[in-house]
Amino acid sequence: MLQKPRGTRDFLPDEMERRRLIERRMREAARRWGYREVCTPDFENLELFTMKSGEGIIQEMYVFEDKGGRQLTLRPEVTAAVLRMYVNEGKVLPKPIRWCYFADCFRYERPQKGRYRQFWQFGVELIGADTPSADAEVIMLADDTLRSTGVTFDLHVGHLAPMKHLLSGLDPGDQRAIMAYLDKHDPQGLEAALVEKNLTHLAEPLAALGECRTVSEVFEVAGDVPERARIEETFSLLDSQNIDYRPDFGIARGLDYYTGMVFEGFAKNLGAENQILGGGTYRLAHLFGGDDVASCGFAIGFDRVMVSIGDFTLAHEPVVGVVCTPEGRARALEVARAFREAGIRAEADLMGRGMGAQLAHAAKTADFAAVLGKREVEAGTVTLKDLHSGEQQERSLEDAIAEVARHGAC
Ligand code: HAM
């Protein structure tokens, strides 16, 4: 038996319906804030992601050469693609630009619960606004979007400036390496790297930075930074709206393009793979041939949100099984069409079964049977059988439709 590739999943209809419901809620949250959906290709030129995505992601990409010898990759994330699209198509649009997306991404990671090789992200990118209000809007939207899904989470908000200030004496390669350990929450790796690079004096302030719970403590640990006023203003905007977040200046982010404010969300009930959201401010457009425009965004790990929410029962829409004799087939198609036109799910026999077998099948798969025997076909009626109670009554087609519709979602 052939199996699906490692790290991918199949979704049966119940699961797909649950996923679509949660997806709709996230789109709806973004819509209310004015973010409109965009779509980019599943694969891009490799260099789009090698320019600034960071070593971690580059190692994990699904890279291939097409028949024309082009180096391509399945997208490991969507931000770089959206900014490429902005440079190609969006430069003339009035700013700020508010875009959102729901897209699958591909990373060659070691699969486990909550970590897949194909996974979906719901994200937003706010392009062309470089203010504390812009940063605060994106954080508030992240909070709103996560809340709309029903997941329970902690939101951590920080800024890279204090950490970069602590690491300012290092060359960019060492700085990136240290930040990668911080991002992975790998204290052993961090310690070994600090020893190797003769930087053990940084261990204490780096640890202290992650412990700070107020903005003023952060500047005591890391020293003052020019971004201080902006950080304070962003945080006070969040406070003014009673956003439930925790200042966390230990956030390093795995992607290299972040420039300032950074934030992450963690599901309260998940284990190792509990990070359900990541985002921040960044600059990418200038690398792709555009203007050096400030941007800010986030992406939610949709699959992790679904794991966190767990299975739930959906409102059940009534299903009608249309049961007929061989002679009644044309009438059965008419009846099924009338139910469908009224928005009701109707299924007709495709197996050439007798009426008894059709009814037995309907009892397993439907809530009502619309029975069309010889008499009903001649009279233009339908015998509607409630397959749960067993009650049945011959009615006009309109009455039968009204009766099923009355049950709505049951
Ligand atoms: P990221 O933190 O790499 O950020 O990914 C965002 C989220 O995608 C993660 O928080 C996690 O929930 C989910 N995720 C990542 N890898 C996997 C995986 N292998 N399986 C399941 N879920 C996964 C970004 O991608 C940035 N583009 C976010 C952003 C948008 N920054 C600014 N704008």
Side-chain angles (χ1 to χ4, degrees):
M1 191 170 48
L2 275 179
Q3 297 293 345
K4 58 191 176 300
R6 199 165 132 73
T8 65
R9 287 149 303 150
D10 297 317
F11 303 103
L12 287 163
D14 283 348
E15 178 67 4
M16 272 321 286
E17 283 175 13
R18 283 194 283 266
R19 288 173 70 91
R20 289 292 188 222
L21 176 75
I22 303 301
E23 185 191 320
R24 267 200 305 281
R25 289 190 190 161
M26 296 195 303
R27 285 183 204 280
E28 187 46 34
R31 189 194 64 77
R32 287 193 299 260
W33 286 74
Y35 287 70
R36 300 181 65 207
E37 187 166 357
V38 292
C39 181
T40 63
D42 282 1
F43 56 88
E44 294 275 355
N45 289 314
L46 176 61
E47 69 175 320
L48 180 69
F49 297 104
T50 49
M51 279 183 176
K52 203 73 189 167
S53 290
E55 215 31 54
I57 284 214
I58 291 173
Q59 299 302 327
E60 291 168 354
M61 281 195 290
Y62 278 88
V63 178
F64 60 99
E65 193 180 294
D66 76 1
K67 290 189 172 130
R70 299 173 193 89
Q71 285 290 304
L72 302 171
T73 180
L74 297 181
R75 60 178 165 219
E77 60 113 27
V78 196
T79 305
V82 169
L83 268 288
R84 181 211 34 77
M85 173 161 127
Y86 157 74
V87 171
N88 296 160
E89 324 271 350
K91 275 194 299 195
V92 293
L93 299 174
K95 291 194 183 66
I97 297 171
R98 292 182 170 95
W99 281 344
C100 68
Y101 51 83
F102 182 75
D104 52 350
C105 301
F106 304 85
R107 296 184 192 174
Y108 193 82
E109 295 198 74
R110 202 163 44 79
Q112 63 185 70
K113 194 175 172 116
R115 198 202 286 156
Y116 310 101
R117 290 182 174 171
Q118 182 194 22
F119 61 96
W120 276 260
Q121 285 188 345
F122 180 82
V124 314
E125 310 298 345
L126 170 62
I127 302 168
D130 191 7
T131 58
S133 313
D135 299 355
E137 168 165 312
V138 174
I139 297 170
M140 289 190 282
L141 173 54
D143 181 65
D144 208 11
T145 311
L146 279 181
R147 256 170 229 295
S148 76
T149 67
V151 75
T152 45
F153 62 96
D154 290 318
L155 188 61
H156 292 200
V157 183
H159 195 287
L160 293 177
M163 186 183 284
K164 286 199 166 162
H165 188 60
L166 274 181
L167 303 176
S168 55
L170 279 59
D171 70 61
D174 284 351
Q175 199 182 90
R176 268 203 301 277
I178 301 292
M179 288 178 72
Y181 287 115
L182 289 165
D183 176 57
K184 288 201 186 88
H185 301 284
D186 178 356
Q188 278 103 34
L190 177 65
E191 198 189 317
L194 291 175
V195 169
E196 188 203 311
K197 294 176 200 299
N198 246 333
L199 297 168
T200 45
H201 62 284
L202 289 177
E204 208 185 299
L206 282 174
L209 202 56
E211 299 298 316
C212 294
R213 288 293 163 267
T214 63
V215 180
S216 48
E217 277 174 66
V218 171
F219 301 114
E220 279 162 32
V221 170
D224 216 345
V225 293
E227 293 84 349
R228 180 173 185 159
R230 175 152 177 172
I231 298 172
E232 286 173 343
E233 198 175 334
T234 306
F235 279 46
S236 77
L237 279 170
L238 298 178
D239 293 338
S240 75
Q241 300 307 303
N242 292 321
I243 301 298
D244 187 7
Y245 72 98
R246 197 188 101 174
D248 182 354
F249 288 79
I251 299 178
R253 301 292 297 136
L255 294 148
D256 271 358
Y257 48 62
Y258 294 103
T259 49
M261 190 269 296
V262 283
F263 58 105
E264 293 180 341
F266 301 90
K268 286 189 198 271
N269 64 344
L270 295 182
E273 301 304 324
N274 64 344
Q275 196 184 310
I276 52 172
L277 173 138
T281 55
Y282 61 92
R283 285 175 184 270
L284 274 175
H286 62 295
L287 296 174
F288 308 150
D291 49 337
D292 186 11
V293 67
S295 317
C296 184
F298 66 79
I300 291 174
F302 177 64
D303 306 271
R304 292 187 186 169
V305 167
M306 293 308 294
V307 174
S308 172
I309 296 172
D311 287 352
F312 56 91
T313 324
L314 287 156
H316 174 71
E317 301 289 341
V319 181
V320 176
V322 182
V323 171
C324 66
T325 59
E327 300 73 42
R329 197 155 298 277
R331 173 68 181 150
L333 287 176
E334 262 171 44
V335 167
R337 185 166 65 199
F339 275 108
R340 290 175 196 139
E341 279 171 358
I344 294 165
R345 203 174 118 192
E347 298 172 359
D349 174 59
L350 301 176
M351 313 294 279
R353 290 180 173 128
M355 282 187 83
Q358 287 180 47
L359 262 174
H361 178 71
K364 287 185 225 150
T365 57
D367 303 286
F368 294 91
V371 184
L372 299 161
K374 189 161 178 286
R375 192 185 63 244
E376 287 91 347
V377 171
E378 280 169 10
T381 56
V382 166
T383 293
L384 188 71
K385 179 170 183 176
D386 182 324
L387 294 164
H388 301 294
S389 68
E391 276 169 36
Q392 62 178 58
Q393 199 183 337
E394 190 173 342
R395 304 160 180 267
S396 68
L397 178 55
E398 294 69 36
D399 273 5
I401 290 171
E403 175 62 14
V404 175
R406 205 172 59 74
H407 281 73
C410 48

